[in-house]
Amino acid sequence: MKNILVTGGAGFIGSNFIHYMLGKYTDIKVVNLDALTYSGNLENLSAVADDPRYTFVKGDICDQSLLDNLFKKYLFDTVVNFAAESHVDRSITDPQIFVTTNVLGTQTLLDVTRANWNLNPKDKYSRKYKDAVRFLHISTDEVYGALGTVGKFTELSPLAPNSPYSASKASSDMMVRAYHVTYGLPVNITRCSNNYGPYQFPEKLIPLMINNCLKNKPLPVYGDGMQIRDWLYVVDHCSAIDTVLRKGIVGEVYNIGGNNEKANIEIVKLIIQKLGKSEDLITYVADRPGHDRRYAIDNSKITTQLGWSPAYTFEQGIEQTINWYLTHTHWIERVVVGSYQDYYQRMYPD
Ligand code: NAD
Ligand code: TYD
């Protein structure tokens, strides 16, 4: 792991991952390929912008010739594919871009990776690749669909996605799997639960509630607020990805979860309490169509086989997250202008 292509590195998890890796390893180089959609923000990476180990390239994972040029120029040995349309609510209003980026984009990236890593590309049956190369696809627990009140998702749970977002992620997972089975491409897939932490775009539950609380705006809780998510601090997610890159068995899928199941309403009330606001801000709004009731990750495969475990409790993670937003009000103010206002009006009309 020396020359890493990170796609979608200007987004929430990708930027945290770049900080994590450049902080941990001195001998790596990272190229961040990002199309800078509404959720991509180079400000997330301003601290490393001048680091000689880091290069930013603006571009789309659907752009085959750009990808090919980057492989030829930087000789990547590792690809970590974060680039995606990532928000369920947006996928309900505009599913097509989810198929374009998440499915076609991933397939394009797989094609170019395969062509550049294969030792004998003229032989269509060649399954021989350069040494120590790995394609890691970042997926989600949402591909497994929804759980009832008991049980957890394992890597063997059937894929049963319910939203256009999760359907597109499941489709991309299937492509990654197929490139491994058909062409022998050395891949891994990770499926993580809901992340939270610094740099998360305030369309997702936790940063949206923090931002609204700070401005004394209504806190829109979907349905009865009793949907359950299994929260993972983003730094723990980054350490898990690093672990899979170093120790993961080729072709394997690894679930990554924080063992932190919480109902949405609990999270909202905790944020209110930490920010010293009133529960009168809570506003129950119409439920999301097809809303998954509960997610929970069984992470015993990655903990027992690869020796990873989360380092942060939810209490520590949420404390650090809230503090980060409190000390980065300029970041929030620059993010919630323009298209965010239009999105917010459409999603949460007065
Ligand atoms: P994000 O929306 O914050 O970031 C996505 C990034 O991808 C942005 O920087 C965007 O500009 C970039 N991008 C979008 N389309 C692109 C394209 N065609 N080419 C190049 N770049 C493009 O998302 P995130 O929360 O950081 O999620 C990262 C990955 O993790 C996604 O694949 C997502 O499905 C997965 N995931 C996220 C969560 C979560 O809780 N946030 C949970 C499970 C899985
Ligand atoms: P979200 O952060 O969008 O992640 P995901 O849908 O991928 O789990 O939402 C987390 C939970 O919070 C989900 O059950 C939907 C709910 N939610 C609200 O109740 N209100 C909101 O304004 C948002 C954005 C989410």
Side-chain angles (χ1 to χ4, degrees):
M1 184 167 48
K2 290 265 183 260
N3 294 315
I4 308 175
L5 172 62
V6 172
T7 71
F12 162 48
I13 306 174
S15 59
N16 275 284
F17 178 71
I18 291 172
H19 286 299
Y20 180 90
M21 294 298 277
L22 291 176
K24 182 166 177 188
Y25 300 102
T26 49
D27 58 343
I28 57 166
K29 289 197 169 149
V30 174
V31 173
N32 170 18
L33 173 68
D34 197 297
L36 297 183
T37 68
Y38 75 91
S39 68
N41 184 353
L42 283 183
E43 204 177 321
N44 301 356
L45 294 153
S46 53
V48 296
D50 297 327
D51 189 319
R53 298 169 300 158
Y54 170 77
T55 306
F56 172 71
V57 177
K58 184 172 188 296
D60 194 318
I61 57 165
C62 298
D63 185 339
Q64 185 150 6
S65 68
L66 169 67
L67 289 172
D68 196 51
N69 288 338
L70 292 177
F71 267 84
K72 303 266 178 313
K73 182 165 177 190
Y74 294 103
L75 304 173
F76 304 123
D77 53 39
T78 305
V79 175
V80 187
N81 184 30
F82 293 96
E85 290 294 330
S86 67
H87 192 37
V88 173
D89 291 324
R90 289 184 193 253
S91 82
I92 294 168
T93 28
D94 185 11
Q96 193 159 30
I97 184 70
F98 284 73
V99 176
T100 306
T101 292
N102 300 1
V103 188
L104 288 176
T106 300
Q107 184 266 328
T108 307
L109 187 59
L110 285 162
D111 254 355
V112 176
T113 305
R114 175 178 163 240
N116 280 278
W117 285 353
N118 198 294
L119 289 175
N120 193 0
K122 292 207 174 98
D123 172 5
K124 66 179 178 176
Y125 297 119
S126 168
R127 297 170 68 88
K128 292 209 167 63
Y129 292 89
K130 291 179 180 169
D131 282 340
V133 290
R134 193 65 60 94
F135 183 105
L136 173 51
H137 179 64
I138 307 298
S139 187
T140 167
D141 58 357
E142 302 192 25
V143 298
Y144 298 122
L147 292 164
T149 49
V150 293
K152 293 186 175 203
F153 298 129
T154 75
E155 290 80 359
L156 299 176
S157 300
L159 300 195
N162 292 319
S163 70
Y165 163 67
S166 53
S168 69
K169 292 297 289 187
S171 307
S172 60
D173 286 17
M174 294 293 92
M175 274 295 167
V176 176
R177 178 190 144 84
Y179 272 65
H180 174 64
V181 176
T182 304
Y183 308 115
L185 191 70
V187 306
N188 286 112
I189 296 172
T190 53
R191 297 188 179 132
C192 63
S193 54
N194 286 61
N195 284 221
Y196 66 100
Y199 304 115
Q200 187 167 29
F201 193 79
E203 65 186 351
K204 305 276 168 53
L205 181 75
I206 289 180
L208 186 144
M209 295 299 166
I210 295 173
N211 180 45
N212 283 18
C213 248
L214 290 174
K215 292 172 179 149
N216 296 312
K217 284 176 64 180
L219 307 178
V221 173
Y222 298 163
D224 62 3
M226 292 307 292
Q227 301 83 4
I228 290 173
R229 299 292 182 263
D230 179 353
W231 293 93
L232 173 67
Y233 190 51
V234 67
V235 178
D236 279 332
H237 186 195
C238 294
S239 72
I241 295 169
D242 177 34
T243 302
V244 173
L245 287 173
R246 285 183 294 109
K247 301 186 192 166
I249 309 291
V250 167
E252 291 293 311
V253 175
Y254 296 96
N255 283 353
I256 306 168
N259 289 327
N260 277 309
E261 286 186 56
K262 304 263 181 245
N264 294 340
I265 193 68
E266 275 183 80
I267 303 265
V268 173
K269 288 186 176 171
L270 183 69
I271 292 170
I272 291 172
Q273 181 235 316
K274 296 249 181 219
L275 292 176
K277 301 289 178 169
S278 160
E279 290 190 6
D280 293 345
L281 289 175
I282 295 173
T283 311
Y284 288 92
V285 298
D287 208 352
R288 173 190 277 174
H291 197 170
D292 288 335
R293 193 71 181 166
R294 175 171 166 258
Y295 304 140
I297 284 263
D298 177 342
N299 65 13
S300 52
K301 181 172 174 181
I302 188 169
T303 54
T304 58
Q305 295 185 12
L306 305 188
W308 172 86
S309 57
Y312 292 83
T313 63
F314 184 72
E315 289 63 35
Q316 291 167 327
I318 198 75
E319 189 78 24
Q320 296 208 11
T321 303
I322 292 176
N323 283 341
W324 187 87
Y325 282 95
L326 284 174
T327 51
H328 289 76
T329 45
H330 292 307
W331 183 93
I332 306 183
E333 290 322 311
R334 281 193 281 273
V335 160
V336 297
V337 292
S339 68
Y340 181 80
Q341 293 300 329
D342 301 336
Y343 166 78
Y344 200 89
Q345 268 312 315
R346 278 198 311 278
M347 263 309 289
Y348 308 98
D350 298 329

